[in-house]
Amino acid sequence: MSPPFDRVALIGIGLIGSSLARVLRREGLARHIAVHSRSEATRTKVRELGLADSLHATPEAAVAGADLVVICTPLSAYGDIAAAIAPHLKAGAILTDVGSVKQSVIRDVGPLVPAGVHLVPGHPVAGTEHSGPEAGFADLFRNRWCILTPPPGTDETAVNRVADMWRRCGMNVEIMEARHHDQVMAMTSHLPHLIAYTIVGTATDLEGHIDADVIKFAAGGFRDFTRIAASDPVMWRDIFLNNREAVLEMLGRLTEDLAALQRAIRWGEGEKLQELFTRTRAIRRSLIEAKQA
Ligand code: NAP
């Protein structure tokens, strides 16, 4: 059986791009995998790892003749990349991405997409705190969700082809509006990262002797925050700048709830604390039942 895609171009090849390259190859989903990386060091690494059939120093060279193009860089690079590749996209090609925010993709890339090319923004909700092509692995996407946010009127065949690719990479696919995606991710992913960055930042600002013991006794909950707070700084800067509205909305709610908790602790209102902790414990149980834990 011939592969579903003839030539797939990956623009950027870090954790997500290299995981995709690995699983595309393992599952036989592309005849040819063309990769663009801006840096010689990354291209050398990708060559050593054998992740690409062809390597390109410019994005326009990588997309020439591709029937599927996947942008796998931080969000702040999208506008320049879209402008560079637009004149070189093949008629009928599908342009997708893996970015963690979706309205900004439609805003930055949408207007540059030539007629006859199908934009299908996507977000495989799978990752680790590691970066770069060595960090990727083919099973990263297995049993995780991939969310596609095609703008109204997007060609259905193109959407189905992207959905089918992610399913064959092991993912469950859901289609939703970009705005809804960004709100859900603000709560489930962006806010938890912001909290982790804050807690670890607060801890490192403590006076020397406390700071040292925070590291020594990190197992008491702090350690899990340090793992999340080790995530890529550029990627997360871009996520907060591009999902500003939804993150600020969720942060406002969190701040109110924190103030209420602060008051309950100050006034010794044990029943309020216990009531909240009982509710949150039930949420954890329902996550386990939904196999999302
Ligand atoms: P990564 O491991 O840091 O890789 C980023 C890649 O983009 C590298 O190949 C890098 O090239 C390239 N790049 C960076 N800035 C660029 C620029 N200005 N122009 C051209 N290329 C550039 O990042 P990642 O974790 O794979 O994340 C990539 C995308 O996936 C992001 O949009 C992120 O929101 C999304 N995502 C990430 C996760 C996660 O948990 N990590 C999960 C889901 C979605 P060099 O090698 O030359 O630096």
Side-chain angles (χ1 to χ4, degrees):
M1 213 170 64
S2 62
F5 292 101
D6 183 51
R7 180 179 166 112
V8 175
L10 304 178
I11 307 303
I13 182 152
L15 170 73
I16 303 293
S18 75
S19 296
L20 184 56
R22 287 170 169 97
V23 68
L24 287 176
R25 177 147 300 159
R26 188 186 69 190
E27 300 300 321
L29 300 178
R31 187 191 57 77
H32 183 103
I33 301 175
V35 169
H36 157 67
S37 173
R38 61 182 176 166
S39 75
E40 180 60 47
T42 300
R43 293 198 297 275
T44 304
K45 182 56 72 187
V46 170
R47 195 172 295 115
E48 284 165 12
L49 292 167
L51 296 176
D53 295 306
S54 61
L55 273 160
H56 306 270
T58 64
E60 46 272 42
V63 305
D67 44 356
L68 177 71
V69 175
V70 191
I71 304 179
C72 305
T73 67
L75 293 161
S76 55
Y78 276 37
D80 286 348
I81 288 170
I85 63 176
H88 304 272
L89 292 168
K90 183 169 107 168
I94 299 173
L95 175 61
T96 187
D97 77 304
V98 298
S100 308
V101 180
K102 299 273 54 97
Q103 288 177 105
S104 66
V105 177
I106 295 170
R107 178 196 69 202
D108 295 347
V109 177
L112 300 167
V113 178
V117 170
H118 311 292
L119 175 65
V120 184
H123 177 200
V125 188
T128 72
E129 69 278 24
H130 303 296
S131 309
E134 309 94 316
F137 53 99
D139 277 336
L140 177 68
F141 307 114
R142 185 190 290 271
N143 292 332
R144 311 301 298 272
W145 284 105
C146 181
I147 300 174
L148 303 181
T149 64
T154 307
D155 181 73
E156 242 177 72
T157 309
V159 177
N160 289 338
R161 289 186 74 195
V162 177
D164 183 56
M165 177 197 78
W166 286 115
R167 283 197 195 97
R168 291 173 73 170
C169 293
M171 304 199 87
N172 303 309
V173 176
E174 182 107 353
I175 293 177
M176 64 174 71
E177 231 188 286
R179 183 176 152 80
H180 185 65
H181 166 278
D182 290 356
Q183 286 172 331
V184 172
M185 288 301 134
M187 189 67 236
T188 55
S189 168
H190 308 168
L191 206 55
H193 275 80
L194 196 67
I195 292 168
Y197 282 122
T198 313
I199 290 186
V200 175
T202 305
T204 52
D205 286 343
L206 293 171
E207 301 75 21
H209 63 289
I210 309 183
D211 190 12
D213 274 353
V214 165
I215 302 296
K216 184 169 166 189
F217 298 109
F222 184 69
R223 190 174 52 189
D224 293 340
F225 285 112
T226 62
R227 186 183 58 73
I228 298 175
S231 301
D232 190 74
V234 172
M235 167 181 153
W236 282 95
R237 176 202 67 192
D238 288 0
I239 288 174
F240 291 118
L241 295 181
N242 283 285
N243 200 18
R244 192 187 316 235
E245 200 186 310
V247 169
L248 289 177
E249 157 72 18
M250 300 303 172
L251 195 55
R253 288 165 181 250
L254 178 83
T255 312
E256 280 174 24
D257 292 343
L258 266 183
L261 269 187
Q262 192 177 16
R263 188 185 154 85
I265 294 169
R266 189 182 307 286
W267 292 94
E269 295 169 341
E271 71 294 347
K272 277 199 183 150
L273 300 176
Q274 194 175 338
E275 189 267 325
L276 173 67
F277 302 161
T278 306
R279 264 198 298 137
T280 54
R281 189 179 224 190
I283 288 175
R284 171 72 191 170
R285 292 200 175 124
S286 59
L287 274 185
I288 293 170
E289 277 161 24
K291 297 197 167 41
Q292 290 291 314

